[in-house]
Amino acid sequence: MKHFIQLFLLVASFCTATAQQQMEFVSQLYYPDGLSSIWGYTAPNGTEYALVGVKSGTSIVDLSNPAQPQEVQFVPGPFNNWRELKTWQRYAYITNEVDEGVLIIDLQNLPATIDTVHFTYNGGIKSAHTVWVDEFGYLYIMGYRNYAGTIPTNERGVLMFDLNPNPMQPVFVGEYAANYVHDAFVRNNIMYTAEIYAGQFAVVDVSDKQNPVLLATQTTTSAFTHNVWLSDDSQHAFVA
């Protein structure tokens, strides 16, 4: 497959705290263009797919047989270093830092076909660095640019959209613009923002998305907060 750094498929035995030492190499796909991110999607019939952010587009890989992964769809896009992906229900949401707004893919007819739209929020989103979807069906767009190029870098925080009315046409519900946000993690209406240039992560209550409430901030090592992720029990935040 011509679109084929490397996607490695691994099987782990999560029996002890040393599970990371018990992985077995199964297979790989090679992407000459290089990759930036990866996410997963499980179809209603149980088929698992890898959604791969390739520098030249989005690759969808059927993992029915982990020993023989097969790329079943490829959506070309602007060539750039960053392509981030998240899913909600049967939909994938993909951002890049060049153009096209948010690519939305309807995955329901995989592996045979897919449907796509480019959501630009009427010109409000030309590109974005990262994307998140929470458990309630809200889409978060981080580090975005508009087509007019009028938003200062330090105000390119988080745009929030409701996917519930129509997952292919998100509805704007709010914005957090205190600082530039490079990445974010949201759970139970609490948003953790990686404010890379401010050198901190912030904790924001987004229960009312029209009126986000800043709860706390914390400077991180080297004052350069790239990303943040919450532990499963929500007791610890991990930053890089």
Side-chain angles (χ1 to χ4, degrees), residues 65-77:
N65 181 355
Q68 294 182 323
Q70 298 291 322
E71 183 186 62
V72 294
Q73 297 287 340
F74 188 87
V75 184

Side-chain angles (χ1 to χ4, degrees), residues 134 140 160 176 186 189-191 204-209 211-213:
D134 72 13
Y140 301 80
M160 295 174 274
Y176 170 80
V186 187
N189 284 320
I190 301 296
M191 179 171 67
V204 185
D205 186 335
V206 291
S207 301
D208 179 356
K209 292 174 176 55
N211 297 287
V213 177

Side-chain angles (χ1 to χ4, degrees), residues 37-64:
S37 188
I38 188 169
W39 199 248
Y41 167 69
T42 303
N45 65 3
T47 301
E48 295 185 1
Y49 294 90
L51 308 179
V52 187
V54 187
K55 289 185 178 181
S56 57
T58 302
S59 174
I60 302 177
V61 181
D62 187 335
L63 304 179
S64 298

Side-chain angles (χ1 to χ4, degrees), residues 69-90:
Q70 298 291 322
E71 183 186 62
V72 294
Q73 297 287 340
F74 188 87
V75 184
F79 193 93
N80 75 120
N81 287 333
W82 314 118
R83 183 164 274 105
E84 298 292 325
L85 322 89
K86 294 295 183 291
T87 57
W88 186 67
Q89 296 183 348
R90 69 180 198 228

Side-chain angles (χ1 to χ4, degrees), residues 210-223:
Q210 293 183 4
N211 297 287
V213 177
L214 179 64
L215 302 178
T217 61
Q218 175 63 54
T219 302
T220 61
T221 304
S222 300

Side-chain angles (χ1 to χ4, degrees), residues 119 121 125 132 134 136-141 158-166 169-176 189 191 205-212:
F119 174 71
Y121 181 40
I125 304 174
W132 182 263
D134 72 13
F136 303 116
Y138 286 91
L139 174 71
Y140 301 80
I141 304 297
V158 184
L159 294 177
M160 295 174 274
F161 298 87
D162 189 355
L163 301 177
N164 292 278
N166 184 347
Q169 291 294 327
V171 177
F172 176 74
V173 290
E175 178 180 12
Y176 170 80
N189 284 320
M191 179 171 67
D205 186 335
V206 291
S207 301
D208 179 356
K209 292 174 176 55
Q210 293 183 4
N211 297 287

Side-chain angles (χ1 to χ4, degrees), residues 94-154:
I94 299 104
T95 58
N96 72 80
E97 283 203 331
V98 178
D99 203 349
E100 296 190 330
V102 180
L103 171 65
I104 304 175
I105 306 177
D106 187 340
L107 305 167
Q108 70 170 327
N109 293 319
L110 283 174
T113 62
I114 54 174
D115 292 320
T116 64
V117 299
H118 291 283
F119 174 71
T120 67
Y121 181 40
N122 297 319
I125 304 174
K126 178 181 181 181
S127 64
H129 185 64
T130 50
V131 59
W132 182 263
V133 183
D134 72 13
E135 67 271 33
F136 303 116
Y138 286 91
L139 174 71
Y140 301 80
I141 304 297
M142 282 70 72
Y144 59 91
R145 293 180 175 89
N146 63 349
Y147 275 90
T150 56
I151 305 174
T153 297
N154 62 356

